Amino acid sequence: MWRLSVRSVRHHFPLFLGTFVALVLGVALIAVSSAALGATFGVSQPTTGRAAVTLPDGEGHAHTVTDGGIDLGGIQTVLVLAGVICLFVTVFVISGTCALSIALRRRELGLLRLVGAGSSQVRRMVIGECLAVAVPAAAVGCLLAVLTTPLALAGLNGTGLAPVDLKDASLAVPLVIASGAGLLMALLGAVAASRRAARLHATEALREADLDARTMTGGRWTMGLILLAAGALMVGLAPGTNAEGATPLALFGTLALTLAASLLGPLYLTPLTRLLALALRRTRSVPAQLAVASLSTARLRTASLTGPVLAIVAVVGIFTSVLSTTGATVKADDQRRTAGQLIVEPVGEDGLAPKTLTALRADSRVTAVSAPASMGVAVADRTSVRQDRGAAVDLPAFARTHRVDVVEGRIKELATGEIAVSREYAGWYGYHVGTRITYGLYGQKAATGKVVAIIEAGATLSQVLLPPARAGAHRPERATVLLDGASASQTDDVALDLANRLGSGQVTVTPTTQWFDTTTDEQGRLNTLVLVVLAGPASLYALVSVASTLVMSYSRRGREIVGMRLIGVAEEQVRRVAVWETLITTAMAAGVAAVVVALGLGAYRASLAAGYDTVAVSVPWGALSLLVLACLGVGAAVGLTATGRLLRRDGVAAINVRD
């Protein structure tokens, strides 16, 4: 059967083009993501000049931790998410192309059964075809990864998302991982497709002609319902958790719903197509009616064509929307909590000097000044020591310049041996007022502090708050200034005067509203870079997959296209049919993706509403619209090209030619 599989791939290569391209790009993207992630682990941490602290845990065992390391957690998270997106889209596309290949070859497989081929032989032939495509595709994908990894690392370094430049690392492990994952995905897709092929009977395949009679197999029903239930469960649980717990539930719940929507597509795509037909009747367009009839008849082909668009729009939509909504909500909450009218920042990177803060507090127009000084702090747990964010803060002054919610205890000047913690931090580790915590600042001895207040102050404040006179804190990065009633209405003039008094070359004084607008622009730039890293490669992959899937589809539509010409449909109308098919499938895929993303984002918004008074839902409409238009443009271009090629055939010859 292996020889037959190889001959089948050679003879029907356009049918296997989608799987080949999907595997090549999937292996390349997974290898590049793995190589970039490996490069972050290869960054050497500084070995000298790092302060350390030794703390005993709850069981008395000593732990020594050091500060001053390079924090690569952010870029590693982005790369892991990018790899997850690429892997998801790869699985999605490969499973769709394998199923489409079988659906387009029912006659051929039926004839094999007619001449005596058994179910096991058909199954082995289909698996052999997949291996014949997957092995060279994995090799080409690895070669592509070797060529593009240096370019990808250079581009990633150019974004500034990594705190240090990432160097080229060994590609051996990433290539093994990527090629193994690609072959495994191809094999799993082939096994699923071979089961469907083995169940075909000769008479059934010959009798069905080009109609889809049994589109929902037992495996499709089972996996679709399982994924639907899992996705609904995760999305349903998200509103009852905090933001950290809701993020994976909303993301992976949406991914499960997307897979379920793809598997169950033959159930609802045909009614949805006919519903669109009702709206298209007013156009009195013959090509539109023909497109609707074609899509309604070939339900498996329609599901395969909508699959890549559905996958990429849903995946990019939920990841970017959750990212944007989180940033917008945190920014809105910080702005709402900031009562001070001015923000003072140093011009350099040395922080605000003590004399600057003294001069600010001495100004007659200033009512209060808060300037938390950040520091690294190690906190002992029952069996370990963790590294957290700390700050030396004048708590009463901060409560005047910001709106603070007191959960337990009260706002007071922190004395030696007293600490305050955030509500989120207390919830994570079960702290309450009166709890004694062993902590240490780097380069100093261990200390014990009593929790005297648990507060909610948004993202502006660190998790562990220490007395303002605590040694070891860095200089404050900024100060928030609360003005008196007479000066509060003249913030621009007061800001200019304070800047001149403090030294325009030393500090900048900005009205709070203007400062938040400026930081929003910078955050938007970073979000755009993250969006490019997360969704850029996967989006290009999906566009190529859309094109290759259409090539597969049109490779078996010669008789259909020429048949339309023979019954009097004009060439221009046939081309319009191809455009209408692309428009309808893209619109349906985008619509289903919008519903799935809305469910996931709605659940995530509900979880944020439990912790924030104001939730700012943010959806990157521009990027998603461009992605949908790109899918539409690629689909229309491939459809017109393939239709034009088929129209150039002689009518009678095309009807008699074998597929």
Side-chain angles (χ1 to χ4, degrees):
M1 299 303 293
W2 169 251
R3 187 173 301 176
L4 182 60
S5 299
V6 174
R7 289 181 178 178
S8 177
V9 171
R10 290 176 179 174
H11 185 70
H12 299 301
F13 185 73
L15 277 177
F16 300 95
L17 180 62
T19 305
F20 181 83
V21 173
L23 278 172
V24 168
L25 296 179
V27 168
L29 289 176
I30 294 173
V32 171
S33 299
S34 301
L37 185 62
T40 64
F41 290 106
V43 174
S44 300
Q45 297 286 351
T47 56
T48 58
R50 299 176 63 183
V53 63
T54 300
L55 298 179
D57 60 21
E59 297 180 351
H61 301 292
H63 300 266
T64 300
V65 292
T66 56
D67 190 23
I70 302 173
D71 185 10
L72 295 166
I75 186 62
Q76 288 172 348
T77 300
V78 171
L79 291 174
V80 168
L81 291 178
V84 169
I85 292 176
C86 292
L87 183 62
F88 176 80
V89 176
T90 302
V91 172
F92 204 98
V93 172
I94 288 177
S95 61
T97 54
C98 288
L100 180 61
S101 173
I102 297 301
L104 294 176
R105 291 192 297 155
R106 289 191 309 274
R107 289 180 177 177
E108 175 186 321
L109 297 173
L111 288 172
L112 283 176
R113 297 301 306 278
L114 189 63
V115 297
S119 298
S120 60
Q121 290 177 309
V122 173
R123 187 181 296 113
R124 290 200 303 271
M125 186 196 75
V126 172
I127 295 176
E129 289 172 345
C130 180
L131 292 177
V133 172
V135 172
V140 175
C142 290
L143 177 60
L144 184 61
V146 171
L147 298 176
T148 56
T149 296
L151 300 177
L153 289 177
L156 192 61
N157 291 332
T159 64
L161 294 176
V164 294
D165 285 347
L166 302 178
K167 306 298 182 182
D168 292 343
S170 173
L171 288 174
V173 175
L175 292 180
V176 170
I177 293 175
S179 58
L183 292 175
L184 178 61
M185 287 184 290
L187 186 59
L188 292 177
V191 169
S194 67
R195 290 179 179 176
R196 180 180 179 85
R199 285 193 295 267
L200 284 174
H201 297 286
T203 55
E204 178 184 1
L206 295 175
R207 184 174 62 250
E208 286 182 5
D210 288 332
L211 299 177
D212 290 334
R214 187 171 180 264
T215 56
M216 292 299 298
T217 61
R220 203 177 186 101
W221 272 110
T222 302
M223 290 303 301
L225 293 177
I226 289 175
L227 289 169
L228 180 62
L233 179 62
M234 286 187 280
V235 171
L237 291 176
T241 61
N242 55 22
E244 287 72 20
T247 300
L249 289 174
L251 292 179
F252 291 103
T254 302
L255 296 186
L257 290 177
T258 303
L259 283 172
S262 175
L263 290 171
L264 301 177
L267 287 178
Y268 65 84
L269 286 176
T270 298
L272 190 58
T273 303
R274 291 170 180 167
L275 185 62
L276 290 175
L278 297 177
L280 294 175
R281 283 182 181 177
R282 296 182 179 180
T283 64
R284 299 181 182 275
S285 172
V286 173
Q289 299 299 322
L290 288 174
V292 169
S294 176
L295 294 174
S296 300
T297 302
R299 289 178 288 176
L300 281 177
R301 189 183 73 203
T302 303
S304 297
L305 293 178
T306 57
V309 181
L310 169 61
I312 193 60
V313 174
V315 172
V316 173
I318 189 61
F319 274 84
T320 57
S321 296
V322 166
L323 175 67
S324 300
T325 297
T326 302
T329 299
V330 170
K331 181 254 182 182
D333 185 69
D334 289 347
Q335 190 167 5
R336 182 188 65 83
R337 289 184 178 277
T338 303
Q341 295 88 0
L342 299 176
I343 303 294
V344 180
E345 294 178 296
V347 173
E349 298 181 356
D350 295 332
L352 291 172
K355 64 178 183 179
T356 300
L357 297 175
T358 301
L360 274 175
R361 295 187 175 101
D363 194 287
S364 60
R365 297 164 295 185
V366 175
T367 301
V369 177
S370 66
S374 63
M375 65 180 74
V377 60
V379 180
D381 208 336
R382 188 175 67 87
T383 58
S384 62
V385 172
R386 58 179 179 272
Q387 296 175 289
D388 294 317
R389 294 185 300 113
V393 60
D394 183 347
L395 201 54
F398 186 86
R400 298 184 67 186
T401 60
H402 294 78
R403 297 175 179 87
V404 177
D405 300 325
V406 180
V407 180
E408 292 185 29
R410 61 187 180 88
I411 299 295
K412 63 184 291 289
E413 185 76 29
L414 296 177
T416 302
E418 294 180 337
I419 62 175
V421 296
S422 67
R423 182 181 69 172
E424 182 182 53
Y425 192 73
W428 287 347
Y429 302 109
Y431 295 149
H432 297 278
V433 168
T435 302
R436 304 195 69 84
I437 299 176
T438 300
Y439 70 94
L441 303 182
Y442 298 102
Q444 301 183 27
K445 294 182 179 180
T448 301
K450 178 182 177 181
V451 177
V452 297
I454 298 176
I455 64 174
E456 175 61 51
T460 57
L461 207 55
S462 298
Q463 300 161 333
V464 181
L465 309 179
L466 303 175
R470 182 74 192 195
H474 301 291
R475 286 186 173 184
E477 297 178 356
R478 65 175 181 269
T480 305
V481 179
L482 181 67
L483 301 176
D484 59 24
S487 303
S489 59
Q490 304 173 1
T491 54
D492 291 337
D493 295 336
V494 175
L496 182 61
D497 182 62
L498 283 177
N500 291 330
R501 289 190 179 190
L502 299 174
S504 57
Q506 301 297 320
V507 298
T508 60
V509 184
T510 310
T512 301
T513 303
Q514 181 181 343
W515 184 84
F516 274 105
D517 291 339
T518 302
T519 55
T520 299
D521 294 338
E522 176 62 20
Q523 186 62 42
R525 185 188 70 85
L526 292 176
N527 286 346
T528 301
L529 293 176
V530 172
L531 172 63
V532 170
V533 175
L534 282 179
S539 298
L540 293 176
Y541 177 28
L543 292 177
V544 175
S545 299
V546 169
S548 58
T549 304
L550 282 169
V551 170
M552 291 177 61
S553 173
Y554 277 99
S555 69
R556 285 303 182 94
R557 298 185 65 185
R559 294 179 177 179
E560 176 187 347
I561 298 298
V562 177
M564 284 191 287
R565 288 287 293 120
L566 292 178
I567 63 174
V569 181
E571 289 189 5
E572 185 62 26
Q573 289 179 313
V574 175
R575 291 188 174 91
R576 290 180 183 177
V577 170
V579 175
W580 273 110
E581 286 184 358
T582 301
L583 181 61
I584 293 172
T585 54
T586 304
M588 289 193 299
V592 174
V595 172
V596 172
V597 171
L599 292 174
L601 187 58
Y604 183 68
R605 180 192 179 282
S607 71
L608 290 179
Y612 295 92
D613 291 336
T614 302
V615 178
V617 176
S618 177
V619 179
W621 295 110
L624 293 177
S625 299
L626 287 176
L627 181 58
V628 173
L629 290 176
C631 293
L632 180 60
V634 169
V638 174
L640 289 173
T641 302
T643 302
R645 182 180 63 84
L646 293 173
L647 287 173
R648 287 193 293 270
R649 290 183 178 182
D650 177 73
V652 177
I655 290 295
N656 292 326
V657 73
R658 62 178 181 175
D659 287 330

